[in-house]
Amino acid sequence: MVTIKTRTKKRSEFSVGASDTTVLVTVTGPDRPGVTSVLFAALSRHDVRLLDVEQVVIRGRLTLGVMVACPNDPEALQEELEQAMATVGMNVDIEIGADPGRPAVSTHAVVVLGSPVNARAMRSVARELAKQGANIDSIRGVADYPVTGLELSVSAADTVDGDAKLRTGLAEVAALENVDIAVERAGLARRAKRLIVFDVDSTLVQGEVIEMLAAKAGVEDEVRAVTEAAMRGEIDFTESLHQRVATLAGLDASVIDEVAESIELTPGARTTIRTLRRLGFHCGVVSGGFRQVIEGLAHELELDFVHANTLEIVDGKLTGRVIGEIVDRAAKAVALRKFADQVGVPMEQTVAVGDGANDIDMLNAAGLGVAFNAKPALREVADAALSHPFLDAVLFILGVTRDEVEAADAVDGGVRRVPIP
């Protein structure tokens, strides 16, 4: 099928000559080897210049768009393209005199995650973007497991106020439609992230380590109540830490090893750290928990740094006290800055992931702050909030696709690591 549309020609100030005619060619049909070569062979016989090309394949269906500047008869080009595409069973649509414009330069990346992401959710996202005068330049799938992920490249108001308005509006959509939506500035800054820190309890690992220790002392319920109040921001973290650790006095130090061996990583944690390390990230943890419990795990995951509290042990028994600096809300942010300085990474190139109120300062300090299954106090200040229990969703926010992760794992095979471009 061939359709010819004619418009008054407009010159592109940077690509189209005075005697050229712009032609937009759109090829659709089942994807198969040879389609692109046949198309460009036909174009080459008319001495056209390429202005723009974009191709996408969705479940075996190809859409290929080419904008060219044609110095000769565009109708002759149309006739040859019709014949050429018929040989490979493809449809072609040709628009003669199409406005070449300039390629869209997106200002923001909007990632929508859900299980599932339905049409209603995408309608609401699109409506909110249109309401704010934002245009969707392109959409690509970034994940189909363990959640569905779609990345929208968007052109919107490129201002601080515009960012805040976009995030607020889309946060309301996320809550209404039961999806997660992350908004970031597009461009080099998004792809330049190089350091990431994770909170440990209920973020990198499942559950709260201090509650596991408290279970050994028979005071789990008491400690859990204090933990939850602290994570909601209802009581000072340092005070809550002293209260909880005091209940552990007299426990044999061997319980630390028992708890360390029973820790379960959050689903997707290994994949996340393995992939980020391939990408050249420095990875670490900043925890209000205890160094003696998490050091073994940090070594296993090949983390670059660990900052956590230290339990006091005397004569093989826990004293119910911590020693050294308390890793509280403020100290977490200080630790992030310290790690960034050590490896020479600017703060705007850092990422922090956490779940509780004591992570607020750390997420605010980072270039990208991600709230993971977080309490409301943290969700309100985070750049992105994830509500599904899979840590590898962080990768999708950073623009890494599930296909890239799986391809890298397949090539690695325990033999060599290949960085994802």
Side-chain angles (χ1 to χ4, degrees), residues 306-318:
V306 176
H307 192 60
N309 292 301
T310 302
L311 291 165
E312 184 181 57
I313 299 173
V314 176
D315 296 330
K317 303 286 186 182
L318 275 63

Side-chain angles (χ1 to χ4, degrees), residues 146-147 180 206 265-269 372-373 386-393:
V147 295
D180 295 334
Q206 300 180 62
L265 285 166
T266 297
F372 181 74
N373 290 311
L386 299 174
S387 59
H388 295 87
F390 309 106
L391 199 61
D392 39 353

Side-chain angles (χ1 to χ4, degrees), residues 97-121:
D99 184 353
R102 284 183 177 272
V105 179
S106 303
T107 58
H108 295 79
V110 176
V111 178
V112 182
L113 302 171
S115 183
V117 176
N118 56 35
R120 172 178 163 171

